[in-house]
Amino acid sequence: MDSAIYNNKEFADALISKIHRLSKIVKKQVNLMEVCGTHTMVIARNGLRKLLPENINLISGPGCPVCVTSNSYLDRAIALSNLPKTRIFTFGDMFRVPSSVSSLEKQRGLGASVDIVYSPLDAFEFAKAHPDETVIFLGVGFETTAPLVATVIKYAEMENVKNFLVLSGHKLIPPAMEALVSDSQHFIDGFICPGHVSVIIGAEPYRIFPEKYGIPCVITGFEVCDILEAIAYLLEMISGRKRKSVFIQYARCVKKNGNPIAQKTIYDVFDIIDSQWRGLGMLASSGLGIRDKYSDFDAGNISVNLIASREKRGCLCGKVLQGRALPFHCRFFGNRCNPEHPLGPCMVSSEGVCAAYYAYERR
């Protein structure tokens, strides 16, 4: 289908009408979780919750990579920033995220060398030009960003740029989704799956959800009509009108098997490891660690003094990421915690649930 249709008002109206018809067939309360920060923002910015029937509930899950990054990772990054002749490079959203005791922003104010970049290539080029400095790139992201970081590590090895290192905080989305539905008390009836991640991994990793848990999945894009169409497909599967499966609504970009070249690049450089997620704890086989072959470029091997990591007392970011609390439920939301003075990453990140609610859904 022509991508222009997904910005079409008439198509949107038709999809909303279809959703209302299907909601009467389903009858029960239906909880649909999106696990993509871009989806979270599109839903909030366009007021989609207000357009849906009362029994259709959209829940935001752990789809923001900055938000799910644990304080222990941030504490290590901050400890590394204190080392002499060391420069930290990071994506912008990580800069202001509070850790147990500080943030990269505060560290720079105290004299640490911390730079915001749009690509790990920027850090790599700096490392080549400044061989007397240790350059550490903070590799935070899901399967979407991992291929580029892996490629840059390969460049560093080929060109023998040993002062370029990566602190890997990459995470894998399907294990986090499974952690949510493995709980016998889970409340998720369907998943709106992330388009960007699925361009890389395809549809196969989501098959476990309809086959083992009876939960349908739709991989969708980022226009309003993409998301509305995904909701309609999910309701058709939940109502029994279609078999529960993994449906690729975003077929204009996502293939069943994803991008095999990107996948090979990831696993040439990274091993699958257990990883700590904010709100979900330590999840088996949910992260990416740098392989021994590339250990010279692994900043995790640098010895630093670390404090015992702790969360901000009273912050509900962890529960928000599980879909078990709304930003409104947090006593800090909108007063002590706001975009100018964030207490948790869900308010900092441009893909964070609290940031989305603060900007678009407070009223």
Side-chain angles (χ1 to χ4, degrees):
M1 185 180 289
D2 186 345
S3 60
I5 190 67
Y6 293 99
N7 286 311
N8 183 281
K9 181 182 184 301
E10 287 72 25
F11 187 37
D13 289 341
L15 287 169
I16 293 167
S17 296
K18 183 177 183 179
I19 290 168
H20 279 262
R21 291 195 301 272
L22 289 167
S23 73
K24 293 175 183 176
I25 297 171
V26 174
K27 295 181 181 178
K28 67 171 186 175
Q29 174 79 31
V30 174
N31 296 312
L32 306 178
M33 176 177 279
E34 92 272 354
V35 280
C36 170
T38 307
H39 287 159
T40 297
M41 280 293 175
V42 172
I43 289 166
R45 186 187 306 118
N46 293 281
L48 296 194
R49 289 184 177 86
K50 298 178 180 65
L51 301 177
L52 300 180
E54 289 186 1
N55 63 322
I56 308 301
N57 185 30
L58 298 183
I59 304 166
S60 299
C64 164
V66 170
C67 303
V68 300
T69 299
S70 67
N71 270 3
S72 59
Y73 176 92
L74 282 163
D75 292 336
R76 180 173 290 276
I78 286 167
L80 289 168
S81 77
N82 290 324
L83 297 177
K85 292 189 175 181
T86 298
R87 185 175 292 268
I88 304 295
F89 285 80
T90 179
F91 292 136
D93 280 2
M94 289 295 298
F95 184 63
R96 300 181 64 223
V97 176
S99 74
S100 299
V101 294
S102 187
S103 70
L104 292 169
E105 181 182 39
K106 290 179 180 178
Q107 291 303 111
R108 188 162 78 173
L110 294 172
S113 298
V114 181
D115 293 317
I116 297 172
V117 291
Y118 292 103
S119 167
L121 281 167
D122 297 329
F124 175 62
E125 293 297 333
F126 185 92
K128 287 200 298 182
H130 298 81
D132 58 325
E133 290 193 56
T134 299
V135 173
I136 299 174
F137 177 75
L138 303 185
V140 171
F142 295 138
E143 295 91 336
T144 317
T145 57
L148 177 57
V149 175
T151 299
V152 178
I153 290 174
K154 285 188 170 188
Y155 287 165
E157 194 232 4
M158 287 188 293
E159 299 187 31
N160 199 33
V161 183
K162 292 292 182 67
N163 64 318
F164 171 80
L165 298 94
V166 171
L167 184 63
S168 179
H170 291 289
K171 300 189 187 298
L172 306 175
I173 278 286
M177 294 167 62
E178 187 170 12
L180 292 171
V181 299
S182 296
D183 184 345
S184 60
Q185 302 299 312
H186 87 81
F187 47 85
I188 300 166
D189 299 301
F191 278 118
I192 300 172
C193 297
H196 292 139
V197 166
S198 302
V199 168
I200 304 299
I201 68 174
E204 290 301 297
Y206 304 116
R207 284 181 57 189
I208 188 173
F209 300 109
E211 293 179 1
K212 181 176 179 179
Y213 299 100
I215 298 173
C217 298
V218 175
I219 299 167
T220 193
F222 306 99
E223 305 295 343
V224 169
C225 290
D226 283 320
I227 295 173
L228 291 173
E229 192 169 31
I231 294 169
Y233 274 117
L234 285 169
L235 292 178
E236 286 184 317
M237 290 190 278
I238 292 168
S239 68
R241 295 182 65 179
K242 291 185 177 179
R243 180 179 64 87
K244 290 182 179 179
S245 64
V246 179
F247 182 77
I248 304 176
Q249 182 274 345
Y250 198 32
R252 59 193 190 272
C253 292
V254 176
K255 308 302 179 188
K256 180 181 178 182
N257 295 319
N259 185 329
I261 295 174
Q263 293 168 30
K264 183 180 185 304
T265 301
I266 291 172
Y267 296 112
D268 280 349
V269 175
F270 293 108
D271 278 322
I272 296 176
I273 61 171
D274 299 345
S275 185
Q276 185 79 27
W277 292 61
R278 189 185 302 271
L280 299 177
M282 183 66 74
L283 300 184
S285 303
S286 68
L288 296 173
I290 297 173
R291 285 181 176 272
D292 289 343
K293 176 183 176 182
Y294 297 97
S295 60
D296 287 346
F297 308 96
D298 187 354
N301 292 331
I302 299 176
S303 179
V304 289
N305 293 321
L306 295 173
I307 63 169
S309 298
R310 62 180 185 273
E311 299 295 329
K312 177 69 178 179
R313 189 173 181 180
C315 175
L316 294 187
C317 190
K319 288 189 178 296
V320 169
L321 291 167
Q322 297 173 49
R324 295 189 176 277
L326 293 175
F328 301 129
H329 297 150
C330 181
R331 60 192 174 97
F332 297 140
F333 176 74
N335 43 72
R336 286 185 60 192
C337 184
N338 59 67
E340 293 300 316
H341 302 284
L343 296 181
C346 295
M347 184 63 83
V348 176
S349 175
S350 60
E351 296 185 341
V353 181
C354 293
Y357 271 71
Y358 186 91
Y360 304 111
E361 305 212 41
R362 278 185 293 164
R363 295 175 179 82

